[in-house]
Amino acid sequence: LRFDENILEGNLPFSLSQLSSLQELSFASNRIEGTIPNVFGTFNALEIADFSSNAFNGPLPSSLFDVNAIRLLYLNGNELAGGLPATYANPPVLEDLFLNNNRLSGPVPPIASGQLTALNEFTVQGNSFTGSMPSSVCSLRTTGFLDNLFADCGGPNPQILCDFPSCCTRCFQDA
């Protein structure tokens, strides 16, 4: 189900939960605001979820990280706030996780051995993450498929510490 670039406005309804057999759900590049309903716990077949480039706010919907089939998750370009839940590492086949350009904050949680082994792209720049990129995430550059790890690790006062290029592959800095 794709609603990309349709100039949709308003909020997403909680009745979205009735679409639990979808494989793809995309609302990219619209004008949707409010929170993304936390209703994805029963979406067992969902492989692609794209909520990018809207005006969503509030916390990340943690139930998205409970979907075992999710491969591509795009939440970038919104106003999502709060921390990154430790459950972000739960999806076993997650390949792309785009969180860049939101208002997320706090540390990037470490991951356990065997988690996110299929992750290819992880973008967290344009947020307010702090601390250091966990070594468990960095190790995916050598033990997994992680090709692109973008963070705000550039300049004289980086927001997050991340070794370049052994861990982060691109470092951004505040303008």
Side-chain angles (χ1 to χ4, degrees):
L1 189 59
R2 298 186 72 172
F3 293 103
D4 300 353
E5 300 177 5
N6 278 297
I7 315 173
L8 296 175
E9 296 180 344
N11 299 323
L12 290 181
F14 282 97
S15 59
L16 190 65
S17 64
Q18 297 174 2
L19 303 173
S20 61
S21 61
L22 290 177
Q23 291 181 317
E24 180 176 356
L25 180 62
S26 182
F27 289 98
S29 301
N30 283 291
R31 297 178 186 160
I32 306 170
E33 57 190 16
T35 60
I36 300 173
N38 197 18
V39 297
F40 300 97
T42 59
F43 279 59
N44 297 326
L46 188 64
E47 294 182 23
I48 302 168
D50 191 346
F51 297 95
S52 64
S53 302
N54 280 285
F56 290 116
N57 57 44
L60 290 168
S62 60
S63 62
L64 274 172
F65 302 114
D66 295 330
V67 179
N68 284 334
I70 197 89
R71 291 184 308 106
L72 309 175
L73 184 52
Y74 304 111
L75 296 160
N76 52 298
N78 286 289
E79 298 172 18
L80 297 168
L84 179 59
T87 56
Y88 83 101
N90 286 353
V93 294
L94 187 61
E95 296 173 16
D96 289 0
L97 179 55
F98 286 31
L99 300 174
N100 54 293
N101 302 319
N102 279 291
R103 296 181 180 172
L104 300 171
S105 59
V108 173
I111 62 172
S113 178
Q115 288 186 308
L116 296 178
T117 56
L119 192 64
N120 182 256
E121 294 187 276
F122 185 28
T123 63
V124 298
Q125 78 277 10
N127 286 290
S128 295
F129 287 115
T130 57
S132 297
M133 188 62 67
S135 60
S136 55
V137 173
C138 294
S139 71
L140 294 174
R141 298 262 299 122
T142 55
T143 63
F145 294 100
L146 187 58
D147 286 331
N148 294 313
L149 176 53
F150 297 173
D152 293 319
C153 53
N157 297 306
Q159 286 186 327
I160 188 166
L161 299 175
C162 188
D163 290 334
F164 172 83
S166 61
C167 182
C168 285
T169 57
R170 186 153 181 209
C171 289
F172 294 81
Q173 66 184 30
D174 289 332

